Amino acid sequence: VACGGGPAGGPGAAATEAPAAESPVTEDSDEVQLAPELSVYNWADYIDEQVLADYEERYGVRIIYDTFASNEDLLTKLQAGASGYDVIFPSDYMVVQMIELGLLAEIDVDSMPNFANINEAFKNPPYDPGNAHCTPYQWGMTGISYRRGNPAFADSPPDSWAYLFDPAVMEKYAAEGINVLNDQRELMAAALFYLGYSPNSTDRAELEAARDLILQAKPSWKTFNSEDYYSTLMESDEIVLSHAWSGDAAQAFWNTYDEAEGTGNWLFSVPKEGAVRFADNACIPANSKRQETARHFINYLMEPEVAAAITNFTFYPSPNEAAKEFIDPEILNNPGIYPPPEVAAKLEWLVDVGDAIFIYDEMWTAIKGQ
Ligand code: N2P
């Protein structure tokens, strides 16, 4: 039914760079013959590099690691059909789009012993029944990060999307810099929440209203960045407020932490109108030539110490129950990372919007083009 913009590269699409393939697994061996290399494509700053180095050392597999800035970037790369990627990390709604386009291989979680470490609440998600294609990797929420100490936020934290969309509100700090995520579903969702609509609206009039809201706010924004905004814009004080993913904001907090003051420079708020909750997943492209090695790597990512190391580095919550005992208590108890019930109640998932994705694409073109 739904389709993410144009024909798929599809399962049959050939990889241009012929990656070293796996040796065939022999029937009488329960040892997987690992490929010499594995190509992993993840969100920016979304893993502890030591985790990659440890895997390389333990198993003699060289990891080729690359990053993307949004689900749509990832989809575009995959649809080009020539990526050669073996492990990718799409979010919930994008898993649905990719399954429908035939872009994902089946993964067989029964063959992954560490899948048992995943919390029941994260198994069998609506976007991938039975975890037929993916295992949950990390999750988080999308809100607003703001510079502590700026007078514009002295009386109250930015507790509304008005801080991103109302020019009269932004007037107080726009000159000091505002960034929004360069991500079409995320930015449209923020505008839709502010207008009181569903973040998954498929109604053309509502989507046009969101586009218009964004276009009238756009002159107040300095940048569209979802890739390195926390390091290049926030931590370096190039801006004072950003549409932000929770773990990225937490990284900016800890990277600017001042022992004497007992706090970092960047705080995080979840707007009262509602905000996005997401889960990112480890999946294998259908055209991967190294699917057994990819399964082996995904199983490794679910080892308790490995999952904990990733969360301890990225500040995104882990769906891995067995990892909890290895996660820093400061992270587990941080409401900006693991939302308390009253915050969780405001969060909504993005879902696949079917053919309305073409309206989103049209709105996004207008937003980025003007
Ligand atoms: C990490 C990006 C978080 C993933 N820099 C958002 N789905």
Side-chain angles (χ1 to χ4, degrees):
V1 209
C3 195
T16 45
E17 16 159 326
E22 296 164 318
S23 358
V25 185
T26 47
E27 289 270 336
D28 57 344
S29 157
D30 52 5
E31 286 273 295
V32 178
Q33 302 292 305
L34 298 174
E37 291 180 343
L38 191 71
S39 173
V40 177
Y41 197 36
N42 200 353
W43 297 83
D45 290 319
Y46 214 34
I47 202 158
D48 178 351
E49 287 188 7
Q50 191 58 44
V51 159
L52 300 175
D54 288 349
Y55 184 81
E56 292 186 316
E57 200 183 324
R58 246 159 84 174
Y59 300 107
V61 176
R62 195 174 78 91
I63 294 178
I64 303 155
Y65 195 78
D66 196 7
T67 62
F68 56 84
S70 72
N71 281 298
E72 287 67 29
D73 281 4
L74 168 62
L75 177 64
T76 305
K77 272 282 179 69
L78 230 62
Q79 284 186 309
S83 58
Y85 298 121
D86 301 305
V87 181
I88 55 172
F89 295 84
S91 304
D92 35 66
Y93 75 91
M94 183 52 71
V95 168
V96 177
Q97 281 182 243
M98 289 182 170
I99 292 172
E100 286 179 358
L101 291 164
L103 293 171
L104 298 184
E106 303 222 334
I107 55 163
D108 186 19
V109 284
D110 294 337
S111 72
M112 295 183 183
N114 291 329
F115 186 68
N117 296 332
I118 300 296
N119 183 311
E120 290 302 320
F122 287 90
K123 287 182 178 171
N124 190 26
Y127 56 84
D128 182 29
N131 292 96
H133 303 85
C134 308
T135 67
Y137 177 65
Q138 297 204 99
W139 61 280
M141 49 190 169
T142 314
I144 293 175
S145 189
Y146 59 101
R147 181 64 162 85
R148 180 181 59 86
N150 189 291
F153 317 126
D155 296 339
S156 112
D159 59 351
S160 161
W161 291 114
Y163 282 81
L164 217 54
F165 295 118
D166 183 343
V169 173
M170 289 188 287
E171 196 179 69
K172 298 188 193 77
Y173 51 87
E176 297 170 273
I178 298 171
N179 174 64
V180 294
L181 292 174
N182 192 17
D183 182 306
Q184 71 174 78
R185 288 293 307 270
E186 286 283 9
L187 189 57
M188 286 292 284
L192 289 163
F193 275 124
Y194 184 54
L195 293 170
Y197 301 137
S198 162
N200 296 300
S201 176
T202 56
D203 180 288
R204 175 172 277 277
E206 292 178 5
L207 296 171
E208 286 178 352
R211 174 203 59 197
D212 292 345
L213 180 71
I214 290 169
L215 284 175
Q216 60 82 43
K218 189 180 167 186
S220 306
W221 300 339
K222 182 172 178 177
T223 40
F224 281 72
N225 182 323
S226 54
E227 193 151 27
D228 57 7
Y229 59 103
Y230 33 98
S231 51
T232 62
L233 300 171
M234 291 165 61
E235 291 166 21
S236 56
D237 283 330
E238 294 293 319
I239 58 172
V240 294
L241 182 132
S242 183
H243 184 205
W245 286 312
S246 49
D248 296 353
Q251 285 181 42
F253 174 88
W254 287 108
N255 288 342
T256 56
Y257 192 82
D258 185 311
E259 289 291 343
E261 297 199 71
T263 179
N265 288 343
W266 288 88
L267 307 176
F268 184 73
S269 135
V270 177
K272 58 180 182 228
E273 296 90 354
V276 169
R277 167 205 293 267
F278 58 82
D280 300 320
N281 305 274
C283 321
I284 305 173
N287 68 1
S288 160
K289 299 278 186 293
R290 298 173 283 205
Q291 299 197 7
E292 283 309 317
T293 310
R295 284 185 192 93
H296 184 266
F297 178 73
I298 290 173
N299 184 58
Y300 164 79
L301 291 179
M302 294 186 291
E303 281 183 15
E305 285 93 339
V306 171
I310 297 170
T311 287
N312 287 336
F313 186 87
T314 64
F315 300 107
Y316 283 92
S318 177
N320 193 309
E321 192 58 32
K324 273 212 172 120
E325 60 173 304
F326 304 107
I327 296 177
D328 293 344
E330 266 183 303
I331 292 180
L332 287 176
N333 299 321
N334 185 328
I337 299 175
Y338 283 86
E342 68 278 12
V343 175
K346 292 192 287 187
L347 304 175
E348 278 186 60
W349 296 95
L350 294 181
V351 300
D352 177 44
V353 290
D355 284 344
I357 195 63
F358 296 114
I359 311 179
Y360 280 79
D361 287 346
E362 184 190 325
M363 300 301 124
W364 191 242
T365 304
I367 290 162
K368 293 307 290 290
Q370 279 182 34

